[in-house]
Amino acid sequence: MRFLLLLLVAASAVIRSDASANLGGVPSKRLKMQYATGPLLKFQIWRVFEEYMRVISQRYPDIRIEGENYLPQPIYRHIASFLSVFKLVLIGLIIVGKDPFAFFGMQAPSIWQWGQENKVYACMMVFFLSNMIENQCMSTGAFEITLNDVPVWSKLESGHLPSMQQLVQILDNEMKLNVHMDSIPHHRS
Protein backbone atom coordinates (compact mmCIF):
# COMPACT_ATOMS: atom_id res chain seq x y z
CA MET A 1 0.00 0.00 0.00
CA ARG A 2 2.84 2.37 0.90
CA PHE A 3 4.45 1.67 -2.50
CA LEU A 4 1.28 2.61 -4.38
CA LEU A 5 1.03 5.84 -2.38
CA LEU A 6 4.64 6.70 -3.28
CA LEU A 7 3.90 5.81 -6.89
CA LEU A 8 0.92 8.17 -7.02
CA VAL A 9 2.92 10.97 -5.38
CA ALA A 10 5.71 10.52 -7.96
CA ALA A 11 3.20 10.53 -10.82
CA SER A 12 1.57 13.73 -9.60
CA ALA A 13 5.02 15.34 -9.24
CA VAL A 14 5.78 14.54 -12.89
CA ILE A 15 2.51 16.13 -14.01
CA ARG A 16 3.05 19.22 -11.81
CA SER A 17 6.62 19.71 -13.01
CA ASP A 18 5.44 19.51 -16.64
CA ALA A 19 2.71 22.08 -15.98
CA SER A 20 4.91 24.46 -13.98
CA ALA A 21 7.74 24.27 -16.53
CA ASN A 22 5.47 25.84 -19.12
CA LEU A 23 3.60 28.57 -17.27
CA GLY A 24 1.99 30.57 -20.04
CA GLY A 25 4.70 29.44 -22.46
CA VAL A 26 7.23 31.80 -20.83
CA PRO A 27 10.30 30.12 -19.36
CA SER A 28 11.39 31.52 -16.00
CA LYS A 29 14.95 32.06 -17.32
CA ARG A 30 13.59 34.48 -19.91
CA LEU A 31 12.02 36.61 -17.18
CA LYS A 32 15.39 36.95 -15.43
CA MET A 33 17.29 37.92 -18.59
CA GLN A 34 14.70 40.24 -20.05
CA TYR A 35 16.30 43.43 -18.71
CA ALA A 36 19.90 42.72 -19.78
CA THR A 37 21.38 44.81 -22.58
CA GLY A 38 23.09 43.84 -25.82
CA PRO A 39 22.01 41.56 -28.64
CA LEU A 40 20.47 38.25 -27.67
CA LEU A 41 21.53 35.13 -29.58
CA LYS A 42 19.16 32.28 -28.75
CA PHE A 43 19.84 28.64 -29.53
CA GLN A 44 16.89 26.26 -29.52
CA ILE A 45 18.80 23.07 -29.50
CA TRP A 46 18.92 19.39 -29.02
CA ARG A 47 22.71 19.03 -28.57
CA VAL A 48 26.07 20.61 -29.57
CA PHE A 49 25.30 23.87 -27.75
CA GLU A 50 28.44 24.20 -25.62
CA GLU A 51 30.90 24.09 -28.52
CA TYR A 52 29.08 26.82 -30.45
CA MET A 53 28.61 28.88 -27.29
CA ARG A 54 32.34 28.82 -26.47
CA VAL A 55 33.43 30.00 -29.94
CA ILE A 56 30.72 32.66 -30.27
CA SER A 57 31.29 34.10 -26.79
CA GLN A 58 35.01 34.47 -27.57
CA ARG A 59 34.37 36.20 -30.90
CA TYR A 60 31.36 38.30 -29.76
CA PRO A 61 31.75 39.05 -26.03
CA ASP A 62 28.77 41.46 -26.02
CA ILE A 63 26.24 38.86 -27.18
CA ARG A 64 24.16 37.15 -24.51
CA ILE A 65 23.75 33.51 -25.39
CA GLU A 66 20.83 31.42 -24.16
CA GLY A 67 20.09 27.81 -24.86
CA GLU A 68 16.81 26.05 -24.45
CA ASN A 69 15.20 22.88 -25.68
CA TYR A 70 13.02 23.13 -28.72
CA LEU A 71 9.71 21.70 -27.59
CA PRO A 72 7.99 19.10 -29.74
CA GLN A 73 4.36 19.39 -30.80
CA PRO A 74 1.90 19.35 -27.88
CA ILE A 75 0.48 15.93 -28.80
CA TYR A 76 3.92 14.33 -28.45
CA ARG A 77 4.53 16.10 -25.12
CA HIS A 78 1.18 14.78 -23.84
CA ILE A 79 1.97 11.25 -25.02
CA ALA A 80 5.34 11.37 -23.23
CA SER A 81 3.70 12.68 -20.03
CA PHE A 82 1.06 9.95 -20.16
CA LEU A 83 3.69 7.27 -20.70
CA SER A 84 5.76 8.48 -17.75
CA VAL A 85 2.75 8.11 -15.44
CA PHE A 86 1.49 4.87 -17.05
CA LYS A 87 4.96 3.34 -16.70
CA LEU A 88 4.98 3.99 -12.95
CA VAL A 89 1.47 2.59 -12.49
CA LEU A 90 2.27 -0.51 -14.55
CA ILE A 91 5.48 -1.16 -12.61
CA GLY A 92 3.53 -0.75 -9.36
CA LEU A 93 0.91 -3.26 -10.51
CA ILE A 94 3.60 -5.75 -11.49
CA ILE A 95 5.35 -5.44 -8.13
CA VAL A 96 2.15 -5.63 -6.07
CA GLY A 97 0.84 -8.51 -8.20
CA LYS A 98 -2.59 -7.02 -8.91
CA ASP A 99 -4.20 -8.15 -12.15
CA PRO A 100 -5.70 -5.10 -13.92
CA PHE A 101 -7.40 -7.33 -16.49
CA ALA A 102 -9.60 -8.93 -13.82
CA PHE A 103 -11.00 -5.47 -13.07
CA PHE A 104 -12.33 -5.32 -16.65
CA GLY A 105 -13.54 -8.92 -16.57
CA MET A 106 -10.89 -10.06 -19.04
CA GLN A 107 -8.48 -12.96 -18.91
CA ALA A 108 -4.87 -11.89 -18.36
CA PRO A 109 -2.68 -12.33 -21.45
CA SER A 110 0.32 -14.64 -21.31
CA ILE A 111 2.76 -11.71 -21.18
CA TRP A 112 1.14 -10.59 -17.92
CA GLN A 113 1.59 -14.09 -16.51
CA TRP A 114 5.23 -14.02 -17.57
CA GLY A 115 5.60 -10.59 -15.91
CA GLN A 116 4.25 -11.93 -12.64
CA GLU A 117 6.72 -14.82 -12.73
CA ASN A 118 9.66 -12.56 -13.67
CA LYS A 119 8.91 -9.29 -11.88
CA VAL A 120 12.42 -7.83 -12.05
CA TYR A 121 12.77 -8.41 -15.79
CA ALA A 122 9.23 -7.24 -16.47
CA CYS A 123 9.76 -4.00 -14.52
CA MET A 124 13.04 -3.37 -16.33
CA MET A 125 11.43 -3.99 -19.72
CA VAL A 126 8.52 -1.65 -18.95
CA PHE A 127 10.91 1.02 -17.68
CA PHE A 128 13.36 0.91 -20.60
CA LEU A 129 10.78 0.50 -23.37
CA SER A 130 8.68 3.32 -21.98
CA ASN A 131 11.72 5.59 -21.66
CA MET A 132 12.70 4.80 -25.24
CA ILE A 133 9.25 5.80 -26.53
CA GLU A 134 9.17 8.93 -24.30
CA ASN A 135 12.57 10.04 -25.63
CA GLN A 136 11.43 9.47 -29.19
CA CYS A 137 8.32 11.59 -28.57
CA MET A 138 10.37 14.44 -27.06
CA SER A 139 13.13 14.40 -29.69
CA THR A 140 12.77 17.00 -32.43
CA GLY A 141 16.26 17.09 -33.92
CA ALA A 142 15.99 20.88 -33.92
CA PHE A 143 18.88 23.34 -33.92
CA GLU A 144 17.15 26.69 -34.24
CA ILE A 145 19.11 29.94 -33.79
CA THR A 146 17.64 33.43 -33.44
CA LEU A 147 19.35 36.80 -33.01
CA ASN A 148 17.07 39.26 -31.19
CA ASP A 149 14.10 36.99 -31.99
CA VAL A 150 14.93 37.00 -35.74
CA PRO A 151 15.63 33.49 -37.08
CA VAL A 152 19.16 33.16 -38.47
CA TRP A 153 19.38 29.33 -38.81
CA SER A 154 16.93 26.45 -38.77
CA LYS A 155 17.98 22.82 -38.92
CA LEU A 156 14.34 21.90 -39.34
CA GLU A 157 14.25 23.87 -42.62
CA SER A 158 17.81 23.26 -43.88
CA GLY A 159 18.14 19.67 -42.71
CA HIS A 160 21.64 20.09 -41.29
CA LEU A 161 23.69 21.93 -38.67
CA PRO A 162 25.62 25.00 -39.72
CA SER A 163 29.39 24.70 -39.74
CA MET A 164 31.16 27.01 -37.33
CA GLN A 165 32.35 29.12 -40.31
CA GLN A 166 28.80 29.42 -41.65
CA LEU A 167 27.48 30.50 -38.27
CA VAL A 168 30.23 33.08 -37.77
CA GLN A 169 29.62 34.46 -41.29
CA ILE A 170 25.87 34.69 -40.65
CA LEU A 171 26.47 36.48 -37.35
CA ASP A 172 29.01 38.86 -38.94
CA ASN A 173 26.46 39.77 -41.63
CA GLU A 174 23.65 40.21 -39.10
CA MET A 175 25.79 42.35 -36.78
CA LYS A 176 26.94 44.55 -39.70
CA LEU A 177 23.34 44.90 -40.87
CA ASN A 178 22.19 45.86 -37.36
CA VAL A 179 24.96 48.46 -37.01
CA HIS A 180 24.10 49.86 -40.47
CA MET A 181 20.37 50.00 -39.70
CA ASP A 182 21.04 51.77 -36.37
CA SER A 183 23.11 54.45 -38.11
CA ILE A 184 20.38 55.33 -40.65
CA PRO A 185 18.30 58.30 -39.40
CA HIS A 186 14.62 57.53 -39.10
CA HIS A 187 12.41 60.08 -40.88
CA ARG A 188 8.75 60.52 -40.10
CA SER A 189 6.41 60.91 -43.04
Side-chain angles (χ1 to χ4, degrees), residues 107-170:
Q107 183 178 354
S110 60
I111 193 161
W112 182 260
Q113 299 297 335
W114 176 87
Q116 291 303 302
E117 295 168 3
N118 303 291
K119 290 184 180 199
V120 173
Y121 292 122
C123 289
M124 287 175 52
M125 282 181 48
V126 167
F127 181 79
F128 288 118
L129 287 175
S130 176
N131 280 350
M132 183 179 66
I133 296 170
E134 288 173 50
N135 287 337
Q136 190 66 31
C137 287
M138 294 302 290
S139 176
T140 60
F143 191 82
E144 310 301 295
I145 304 172
T146 61
L147 180 62
N148 291 332
D149 293 328
V150 176
V152 294
W153 187 269
S154 173
K155 181 184 173 200
L156 296 176
E157 291 178 12
S158 67
H160 66 283
L161 293 173
S163 68
M164 191 57 72
Q165 290 176 331
Q166 283 178 314
L167 185 57
V168 168
Q169 183 64 39
I170 290 169

Side-chain angles (χ1 to χ4, degrees), residues 14-24:
V14 168
I15 293 170
R16 273 186 273 135
S17 68
D18 186 37
S20 65
N22 196 11
L23 291 174

Side-chain angles (χ1 to χ4, degrees), residues 1-170:
M1 186 66 178
R2 179 180 280 166
F3 179 75
L4 285 177
L5 182 62
L6 289 173
L7 190 63
L8 290 174
V9 169
S12 66
V14 168
I15 293 170
R16 273 186 273 135
S17 68
D18 186 37
S20 65
N22 196 11
L23 291 174
V26 179
S28 61
K29 189 173 188 176
R30 181 176 289 170
L31 296 175
K32 293 176 191 173
M33 297 298 293
Q34 130 184 28
Y35 298 108
T37 60
L40 171 64
L41 181 66
K42 186 186 299 181
F43 286 82
Q44 291 182 322
I45 57 170
W46 180 245
R47 297 174 198 224
V48 191
F49 171 65
E50 290 179 4
E51 178 185 341
Y52 284 89
M53 182 180 76
R54 181 182 48 80
V55 171
I56 291 170
S57 63
Q58 288 174 354
R59 185 167 175 105
Y60 305 102
D62 293 338
I63 292 181
R64 291 180 296 126
I65 301 174
E66 292 180 1
E68 62 187 25
N69 286 329
Y70 189 85
L71 294 176
Q73 295 177 2
I75 185 72
Y76 293 119
R77 290 194 313 255
H78 294 302
I79 290 171
S81 293
F82 171 77
L83 281 175
S84 66
V85 173
F86 182 72
K87 162 184 61 180
L88 295 175
V89 170
L90 189 56
I91 289 172
L93 289 172
I94 291 171
I95 291 172
V96 172
K98 294 289 183 181
D99 184 4
F101 298 98
F103 180 74
F104 297 108
M106 299 170 52
Q107 183 178 354
S110 60
I111 193 161
W112 182 260
Q113 299 297 335
W114 176 87
Q116 291 303 302
E117 295 168 3
N118 303 291
K119 290 184 180 199
V120 173
Y121 292 122
C123 289
M124 287 175 52
M125 282 181 48
V126 167
F127 181 79
F128 288 118
L129 287 175
S130 176
N131 280 350
M132 183 179 66
I133 296 170
E134 288 173 50
N135 287 337
Q136 190 66 31
C137 287
M138 294 302 290
S139 176
T140 60
F143 191 82
E144 310 301 295
I145 304 172
T146 61
L147 180 62
N148 291 332
D149 293 328
V150 176
V152 294
W153 187 269
S154 173
K155 181 184 173 200
L156 296 176
E157 291 178 12
S158 67
H160 66 283
L161 293 173
S163 68
M164 191 57 72
Q165 290 176 331
Q166 283 178 314
L167 185 57
V168 168
Q169 183 64 39
I170 290 169

